[in-house]
Amino acid sequence: ALRSRSGRSIINGNWAIDRPGRYEGGGTMFTYKRPNEISSTAGESFLADGPTNEVLDVYMIHQQPNPGIHYEYIIPGDNVISPPLLAHRRPGEPLNGQLGMPESTNHEDEDLHRETDPLTGQSAGTFPVIQPGRFPSHQPENQVPAVQPPRQNREHNWKQVGKTECTTTCGKGSQYPVFHCVNRITHEEVSESYCDISTKPIPEEEACNLFPCPAFWDIGEWSECSKTCGLGMQHRQILCRQMYANRTLTVQQYRCHHLEKPETTSTCQLKICSEWQIRTEWTSCSVPCGVGQRTRDVKCVSNLGDIVDDEECNMKLRPNDIENCDMGPCAKSWFLTEWSDRCSAECGDGVRTRSVVCMTNHVSSLPLEGCGNNRPSETTPCNNGPCAGKVEWFAGGWTQCSTECGSGTQQREVICIRKTEGNFDVLNPYECSYLEKPPSQQSCYLKPCGSKWFHTEWSTCSKSCEGGFRVREVRCLSDDMTASAQCDPQLKPEEKEPCNTQDCIPEIDENCKDKYYNCNVVVQARLCVYTYYKTACCASCTRVANRQSEFLGRR
């Protein structure tokens, strides 16, 4: 947090966290940067071009060990700022002392720079910067001259023949003199064994390429988007920096004017404000086997958690709320034809028939008992009214075949009667038991059926109220009960139909009541999404939820 001595908060004051951005204070403009804590390990930072016109205090609150503070600053001056030469002092020079300067030194390229340790905050000393060729010619008082061995009349001695290559091309590097053994007269290089190795000079480090490297723009990471949804802004820190003595320093921005400055702000959009939410898991498949359907609840939800119209969300991104589900082949399903239209008896009790077959998949052929013992009935009673009887066993005419094709049955009435004058009485069957009773049923076969439509029983309805659907599997089978494509498509039974279209009757919960008289205010403020208000104003919140579901259902 940043605050002035007068107590005025500039950034993150009064225990409130500000968004990254630009804030005015202390006579300058501060750029506040807070990288994403998940995607970046960089810390928070303040940056200002300055100058400041009052004392500002920086506060830090932390729950984990203090990670420390790194800070850099620029001291105003009339001269050009150049990097220090502290790390490359000559042997014998005092660490914190000042180097002597000739009176004729040109001060245009000289400035004062104070180095601060980023961990301890202690000053490392104040010193002037010396440009190439300005090393002092005098020897410091505290340097002890090296003891020279007595000169001997030798034919060979050590000679400096050059220097090593500079370690850097700019920004102050280092190099060392190179000594070879040579003939004193001809100066011809010879093997080092001709010279006394103990008298070989020790190479001393020398500074080289002291001119600064070109300045460059140091581009920081983008801040978090100012908005969690919709169009927002994000910022990044741009600093003009220069490399010197293996250190990167922040310098005045005019030194980077030869380069195009990168943008510090940009638009961003994490997502659109309203989003699709999947409120429920997929339901179970509508059929136990074969191909059915399953559903789930998908709503468009605003930032406040309210369910809004689907048009407020991107329809191209809407998740599916219904899909097909394949429960595998129905290897144990009974397939049935429709009941025959005609009763087996023209009068009295008769039967209507249908075909029943246990269907397996097309790969294997399971026995009939694979469908279980609950085989659907192939006959159902029918009655076309009472019949007149006659004496003895009376057999009526055979009814039409129960099927128009394939195997069927025929029925006829067989009764015990006694004739009277002009009439006859129907007797109990035992009265004719001594007589051979004619058969009352026989099989019949008119012609091959070819292919017919078979179907399973209807599945359970997908909803108990407000309109659901149920499905069944329909297959075209030939006379030998194998799959066929010869059925008339116009006669194909329906595979899906609506069911339970009646309105849902809400259950009345005696414990769901409003505990306060002003629950209408809770509803108007859209606070029913919170558990406390949903319980305290249960009745009002429930009515609103029901109205919303009815509205969405009609849509």
Side-chain angles (χ1 to χ4, degrees):
L2 188 64
R3 189 174 70 177
S4 66
R5 286 291 173 88
S6 63
R8 184 177 69 87
S9 296
I10 300 174
I11 299 175
N12 292 346
N14 300 322
W15 299 98
I17 300 178
D18 296 325
R19 290 187 178 276
R22 293 171 61 82
Y23 297 88
E24 186 176 2
T28 184
M29 186 68 70
F30 282 86
T31 298
Y32 172 42
K33 179 181 179 183
R34 184 174 70 247
N36 189 303
E37 295 179 357
I38 297 178
S39 61
S40 174
T41 58
E44 299 178 58
S45 64
F46 303 142
L47 174 68
D49 293 334
T52 55
N53 57 12
E54 61 176 318
V55 178
L56 301 176
D57 293 327
V58 177
Y59 294 84
M60 182 173 68
I61 181 170
H62 56 89
Q63 296 176 336
Q64 298 176 349
N66 186 347
I69 299 177
H70 173 81
Y71 54 92
E72 298 178 4
Y73 58 91
I74 300 173
I75 299 176
D78 297 330
N79 303 321
V80 178
I81 295 178
S82 298
L85 297 176
L86 175 63
H88 300 279
R89 59 186 178 87
R90 290 179 175 276
E93 294 178 354
L95 175 63
N96 291 323
Q98 293 187 358
L99 301 176
M101 296 291 295
E103 293 182 0
S104 60
T105 299
N106 183 1
H107 292 272
E108 272 186 2
D109 298 330
E110 171 186 315
D111 198 359
L112 193 63
H113 187 91
R114 177 172 296 274
E115 186 73 19
T116 302
D117 189 325
L119 296 178
T120 64
Q122 298 298 319
S123 174
T126 303
F127 43 86
V129 176
I130 301 178
Q131 298 299 325
R134 297 181 185 174
F135 290 106
S137 58
H138 71 281
Q139 179 174 326
E141 295 177 0
N142 60 350
Q143 181 172 340
V144 178
V147 178
Q148 299 293 335
R151 298 181 62 85
Q152 299 179 359
N153 186 14
R154 295 186 297 272
E155 296 181 4
H156 302 87
N157 63 352
W158 297 101
K159 177 183 179 181
Q160 180 178 346
V161 296
K163 297 182 180 180
T164 62
E165 186 177 354
C166 191
T167 57
T168 60
T169 58
C170 62
K172 186 186 178 183
S174 60
Q175 59 183 184
Y176 296 88
V178 177
F179 296 97
H180 285 175
C181 182
V182 299
N183 186 295
R184 297 185 60 182
I185 300 175
T186 64
H187 299 287
E188 179 183 358
E189 293 186 14
V190 296
S191 173
E192 290 189 354
S193 60
Y194 286 93
C195 293
D196 185 358
I197 194 66
S198 63
T199 62
K200 184 177 181 179
I202 299 176
E204 294 186 2
E205 181 182 8
E206 299 179 7
C208 55
N209 293 338
L210 300 179
F211 53 92
C213 293
F216 64 94
W217 290 115
D218 187 5
I219 304 175
E221 297 181 8
W222 286 110
S223 66
E224 295 178 351
C225 194
S226 61
K227 294 185 178 180
T228 57
C229 68
L231 194 63
M233 296 293 294
Q234 57 183 173
H235 307 269
R236 63 182 177 182
Q237 185 172 262
I238 306 296
L239 299 176
C240 183
R241 299 175 73 87
Q242 262 187 307
M243 180 75 72
Y244 192 86
N246 293 326
R247 294 190 61 189
T248 302
L249 304 176
T250 302
V251 297
Q252 294 285 3
Q253 293 197 5
Y254 75 85
R255 294 200 178 186
C256 293
H257 282 174
H258 64 288
L259 301 173
E260 182 180 357
K261 185 176 182 180
E263 295 293 334
T264 58
T265 60
S266 175
T267 58
C268 55
Q269 181 172 350
L270 300 180
K271 61 180 179 180
I272 58 177
C273 288
S274 296
E275 62 178 357
W276 294 108
Q277 285 189 5
I278 299 175
R279 311 300 289 268
T280 62
E281 298 293 334
W282 286 108
T283 61
S284 57
C285 197
S286 59
V287 293
C289 64
V291 179
Q293 289 183 320
R294 61 178 186 172
T295 59
R296 63 182 176 182
D297 193 16
V298 177
K299 300 295 184 185
C300 180
V301 180
S302 69
N303 288 340
L304 301 178
D306 297 330
I307 297 176
V308 296
D309 293 339
D310 286 359
E311 287 74 13
E312 295 192 23
C313 290
N314 189 341
M315 295 300 294
K316 294 182 179 179
L317 303 179
R318 189 181 195 277
N320 291 331
D321 60 355
I322 185 171
E323 69 176 10
N324 291 336
C325 49
D326 190 348
M327 302 299 291
C330 292
K332 297 182 180 180
S333 294
W334 291 108
F335 279 72
L336 321 167
T337 63
E338 300 290 345
W339 290 108
S340 60
D341 294 332
R342 290 174 290 187
C343 189
S344 61
E346 295 180 356
C347 62
D349 294 332
V351 292
R352 289 194 301 159
T353 61
R354 65 179 176 183
S355 297
V356 179
V357 61
C358 176
M359 282 300 301
T360 64
N361 57 48
H362 302 310
V363 177
S364 62
S365 179
L366 298 179
L368 291 179
E369 54 266 31
C371 290
N373 298 323
N374 297 325
R375 179 186 178 92
S377 173
E378 294 181 294
T379 62
T380 184
C382 57
N383 191 307
N384 288 334
C387 296
K390 63 180 181 178
V391 178
E392 62 194 19
W393 285 117
F394 177 80
W398 289 108
T399 63
Q400 296 184 15
C401 193
S402 60
T403 60
E404 297 179 357
C405 61
S407 297
T409 58
Q410 288 179 302
Q411 308 288 334
R412 68 179 178 179
E413 186 75 13
V414 178
I415 59 175
C416 182
I417 62 172
R418 178 180 293 145
K419 290 184 179 180
T420 60
E421 294 181 2
N423 294 314
F424 55 86
D425 297 325
V426 178
L427 306 177
N428 288 329
Y430 75 87
E431 296 288 347
C432 298
S433 59
Y434 63 95
L435 298 174
E436 183 180 359
K437 184 178 181 180
S440 61
Q441 181 175 313
Q442 69 177 8
S443 60
C444 57
Y445 185 89
L446 297 180
K447 61 180 180 179
C449 288
S451 299
K452 288 195 301 183
W453 289 110
F454 285 75
H455 59 80
T456 62
E457 298 282 4
W458 287 109
S459 68
T460 305
C461 193
S462 62
K463 295 178 66 176
S464 59
C465 58
E466 288 190 349
F469 60 88
R470 60 180 187 173
V471 295
R472 63 181 178 182
E473 189 174 358
V474 179
R475 292 188 187 179
C476 178
L477 303 177
S478 61
D479 286 334
D480 58 357
M481 297 305 167
T482 59
S484 172
Q486 302 301 319
C487 297
D488 187 352
Q490 296 183 351
L491 300 180
K492 182 179 180 180
E494 293 294 333
E495 294 181 282
K496 179 178 179 180
E497 70 176 10
C499 55
N500 293 340
T501 57
Q502 72 278 5
D503 293 336
C504 291
I505 301 176
E507 296 182 3
I508 300 176
D509 187 357
E510 295 296 335
N511 297 323
C512 183
K513 298 179 180 179
D514 289 346
K515 297 181 181 180
Y516 301 99
Y517 68 91
N518 58 345
C519 282
N520 60 322
V521 178
V522 173
V523 174
Q524 293 173 359
R526 297 184 177 181
L527 298 177
C528 288
V529 294
Y530 299 102
T531 303
Y532 171 77
Y533 293 106
K534 189 183 296 183
T535 303
C537 297
C538 180
S540 297
C541 291
T542 301
R543 284 195 298 272
V544 172
N546 289 337
R547 285 198 297 269
Q548 289 181 347
S549 62
E550 292 174 3
F551 171 76
L552 295 176
R554 290 193 296 270
R555 295 184 63 257

